[in-house]
Amino acid sequence: MKRDVRVKAKPITWLQYTITYFVLLVLSAGQGMIYAEYMAFDKMPLEYIFGMLGYWALVSVVFCLVTHYQIRKRFSDPMRRMSQAAKEVAAGDFTVHMEPIHPPEKYDYLDVMFEDFNKMVDELGSIEMLTNDFISNVSHEVKTPIAVIQNYAMALQKLDITPEQRQEYTETIINAAQRLNSLVSNILKLNKLENQKIVPALEEYDLCAQLTACALTFEDLWEVKNITFNAEMDDKAIIRADKSMLEIVWNNLLANAIKFTDSGGSITLTQTSDDDSVTVTISDTGCGMKEETLKRIFDKFYQGDTSRSQDGNGLGLALALRVIELLNGQISAESKPGEGSTFVVKLKTGE
């Protein structure tokens, strides 16, 4: 394997060799002391002494070479492989995979390190893919309302349009601007929740009162669509949580329920409590979702029903999931095509 030019250290230095030589000489001196009990050193030939020095010099060379070979095979070569793999990952190649040196029953720390390295590369690859998808989706979502605003603004410049057309174009521009504002606002919220260490502002408050207030903000919408809204809640349910964060969750879940429920349908908001938790269920009789859609509804920008994509930007449920995770709660969904959807949120009542 080619040596990395950044590595300046030599495998064996003269200092290492000299230290090894003198250590072995000291050890041989101990041997000489044992021999002194049986023979007189003053009668020992000078050639023998120099021969012993040369012998230990040769032993030192052999010892250093053998030690270097073992270190290179056991540590240096594997670490060079990892260094090369890390350089490839740094260059953007997330297909790099390092094979362990030993079989699983004989793994050492290097084998474990290689496995962890492979896991890290896989995670980095998935993050890179998510980042690219996120940028692509943001670009698409931003481009659409901007194009609408540009086209209808140009149409407004025409002198031969009727007052009714002018009103229609103006409303279209306002709607596109509102959608763009909602998109940017949700992106900022999601970025803040995901990339900053946010500590929820915990306080005790009545969840039933909050659910009622959130539901009433959508009263005009469900009346326009002739949707029957049912609520089954306790008189009061005190929880300790971040009130403003949970408002994001309830607003998104209720907005989705109204959005996907056709005229004449119904929505049911249910709250139940036990000793240490509270459960909120929002069900609708809307279009429902396929199994593959259900698996991805909490992904950023994912919109299963493309026919209604103009009404949202696919960030609401991603926001709701992140909020519930920060509050150590659970959120789940059940749905079947044509049978509506049910979202269940479970929260601890205390800290």
Side-chain angles (χ1 to χ4, degrees), residues 69-289:
Y69 174 80
Q70 292 178 332
I71 292 175
R72 181 173 63 83
K73 282 295 184 183
R74 190 172 179 84
F75 298 106
S76 295
D77 286 352
M79 295 309 295
R80 284 187 186 182
R81 286 173 51 204
M82 177 168 281
S83 175
Q84 179 61 33
K87 287 167 63 177
E88 293 175 12
V89 172
D93 183 1
F94 298 105
T95 62
V96 176
H97 183 83
M98 298 194 66
E99 289 294 334
I101 305 170
H102 306 102
E105 64 273 9
K106 295 183 179 180
Y107 270 12
D108 59 14
Y109 277 104
L110 279 177
D111 296 306
V112 173
M113 187 185 301
F114 286 179
E115 281 205 338
D116 291 340
F117 179 85
N118 292 335
K119 292 178 183 177
M120 179 192 72
V121 173
D122 290 341
E123 288 295 324
L124 288 173
S126 63
I127 292 173
E128 178 74 7
M129 185 179 299
L130 285 174
T131 301
N132 291 336
D133 289 345
F134 182 81
I135 293 173
S136 175
N137 286 324
V138 168
S139 300
H140 173 74
E141 292 289 338
V142 170
K143 187 185 297 183
T144 302
I146 288 179
V148 171
I149 293 172
Q150 181 181 5
N151 292 336
Y152 279 88
M154 293 173 62
L156 281 174
Q157 292 180 328
K158 297 179 180 179
L159 301 177
D160 57 346
I161 61 175
T162 64
E164 291 77 12
Q165 289 177 316
R166 188 178 300 276
Q167 179 68 23
E168 179 186 350
Y169 296 167
T170 303
E171 290 178 355
T172 302
I173 291 174
I174 292 173
N175 290 334
Q178 289 174 340
R179 181 183 175 190
L180 184 59
N181 180 66
S182 174
L183 171 66
V184 173
S185 176
N186 281 338
I187 289 174
L188 292 175
K189 287 179 183 177
L190 190 58
N191 182 68
K192 185 177 180 181
L193 289 172
E194 288 187 335
N195 299 323
Q196 297 183 18
K197 293 184 178 179
I198 295 178
V199 179
L202 302 180
E203 60 176 310
E204 288 189 356
Y205 72 95
D206 184 5
L207 176 62
C208 294
Q210 183 185 43
L211 290 171
T212 300
C214 289
L216 289 175
T217 60
F218 295 94
E219 185 175 8
D220 291 342
L221 292 177
W222 81 58
E223 286 184 349
V224 168
K225 295 184 71 173
N226 192 29
I227 293 174
T228 302
F229 192 92
N230 304 303
E232 301 173 7
M233 295 186 290
D234 298 332
D235 293 334
K236 182 181 289 187
I238 303 299
I239 66 170
R240 183 172 176 79
D242 190 309
K243 187 175 182 179
S244 61
M245 280 190 178
L246 278 180
E247 188 173 338
I248 295 174
V249 177
W250 313 136
N251 285 339
N252 275 302
L253 294 181
L254 289 168
N256 279 347
I258 294 173
K259 170 180 165 183
F260 292 105
T261 300
D262 294 328
S263 178
S266 65
I267 296 173
T268 301
L269 170 62
T270 306
Q271 172 271 319
T272 58
S273 301
D274 54 29
D275 293 338
D276 61 352
S277 65
V278 61
T279 302
V280 177
T281 304
I282 299 177
S283 302
D284 62 63
T285 59
C287 58
M289 292 176 280

